[in-house]
Amino acid sequence: MSKEVIKGLIDLIPDEDIETIYKVIIKFIPEVKPEEDEIKAILEAREDQSSMTSHKEIDWD
């Protein structure tokens, strides 16, 4: 079976079942290990203690 056949089958799936199919398909995609600079950026973001603006302080209008 080719990828094109699978893509065609996906078009036949009812809209209400798309989320379920997505969850199944995503499990077959291998995870990629983060690069060293990505890990560093995540750690820096976790350590960042600078003040943030709360949602209540933003004028959403």
Side-chain angles (χ1 to χ4, degrees):
M1 182 176 299
S2 70
K3 289 182 181 183
E4 293 304 316
V5 172
I6 293 172
K7 289 175 186 176
L9 291 172
I10 289 173
D11 289 336
L12 300 174
I13 297 169
D15 288 342
E16 61 268 11
D17 294 328
I18 292 295
E19 184 69 23
T20 302
I21 295 302
Y22 170 79
K23 289 178 182 177
V24 171
I25 291 173
I26 203 75
K27 292 189 181 287
F28 289 94
I29 300 173
E31 289 188 28
V32 177
K33 290 185 177 182
E35 299 290 328
E36 189 64 34
D37 61 331
E38 294 172 319
I39 294 171
K40 183 179 176 185
I42 291 169
L43 293 174
E44 287 176 5
R46 287 182 181 165
E47 292 173 1
D48 184 4
Q49 298 296 314
S50 61
S51 63
M52 294 195 299
T53 304
S54 73
H55 285 265
K56 293 177 184 177
E57 296 174 308
I58 298 174
D59 180 12
W60 293 97
D61 295 320

